């Protein structure tokens, strides 16, 4: 097992969003540790990582959806040789999202904030142990 580096974590964050925008749920699921927890940007409670991927598959990864993400500078704090925290801002825009009974919703997050806690697994791969996405947009208050 190797050692976590800030550059490796930044690369994983970039790869995460590339996989997300490519709408590849099987690859997205591989990012999460088996016991990962996720707070979605407009979620009310944490959910297991695998459940978050299943929800994203249903809402964002259909044929009619399009998703764009712009990630800001990624700050990485190394915790030890095995873990790190990545925090950054992002912009998100999705069209054709399946949200509840609305099959063609639009979602825009202009001031998104992300924190992802990465750990090395037994095979030396970086996995997300915890993820918290939120929005600082005034229009999202109360969600």
């Amino acid at each position: 097992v190797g050692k976590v580096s800030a550059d490796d974590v930044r690369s994983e964050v970039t790869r995460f969003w590339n996989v997300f925008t490519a709408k590849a749920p099987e690859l997205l699921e591989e990012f999460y540790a088996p016991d990962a927890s996720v707070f979605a940007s407009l979620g009310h409670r944490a959910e297991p990582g695998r459940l978050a991927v299943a929800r994203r598959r249903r809402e964002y990864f259909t044929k009619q959806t399009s998703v764009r993400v712009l990630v800001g500078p990624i700050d990485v704090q190394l915790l030890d040789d095995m873990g790190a925290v990545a925090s950054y801002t992002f912009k998100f825009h999705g069209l054709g999202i399946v949200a509840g009974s609305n099959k063609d919703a639009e979602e825009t997050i202009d001031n998104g904030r992300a924190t992802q806690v990465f750990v090395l697994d037994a095979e030396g791969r970086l996995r997300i142990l915890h993820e918290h996405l939120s929005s600082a947009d005034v229009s999202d208050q109360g969600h």
Side-chain angles (χ1 to χ4, degrees):
V1 177
K3 180 178 174 179
V4 175
S5 77
D7 286 340
D8 290 343
V9 172
R10 286 186 191 95
S11 292
E12 282 301 281
V13 169
T14 300
R15 197 169 71 82
F16 172 87
W17 287 108
N18 287 342
V19 165
F20 194 107
T21 57
K23 301 189 294 188
E26 299 81 14
L27 295 176
L28 191 67
E29 192 168 326
E30 293 176 8
F31 278 93
Y32 294 98
D35 53 346
S37 62
V38 173
F39 277 102
S41 57
L42 300 176
H44 297 283
R45 66 186 70 78
E47 60 188 352
R50 294 192 191 289
L51 181 60
V53 172
R55 184 181 47 74
R56 289 169 178 166
R57 176 193 301 254
R58 185 180 70 251
E59 294 176 354
Y60 300 104
F61 298 167
T62 63
K63 287 181 182 165
Q64 76 268 13
T65 60
S66 69
V67 178
R68 288 192 328 264
V69 177
L70 179 62
V71 174
I74 303 164
D75 181 54
V76 177
Q77 296 171 296
L78 299 175
L79 301 175
D80 56 24
D81 289 349
M82 303 293 286
V85 177
S87 56
Y88 52 93
T89 58
F90 66 93
K91 294 180 184 292
F92 178 95
H93 187 255
L95 283 174
I97 296 165
V98 179
S101 61
N102 188 349
K103 303 277 191 260
D104 195 26
E106 181 174 359
E107 183 179 339
T108 300
I109 299 172
D110 287 323
N111 297 294
R113 302 166 296 192
T115 301
Q116 291 169 313
V117 179
F118 286 87
V119 294
L120 283 177
D121 69 10
E123 288 82 39
R125 293 176 296 192
L126 280 171
R127 302 291 183 144
I128 297 169
L129 181 63
H130 179 73
E131 175 178 277
H132 190 130
L133 306 177
S134 62
S135 173
D137 293 333
V138 173
S139 62
D140 291 335
Q141 297 302 314
H143 283 278

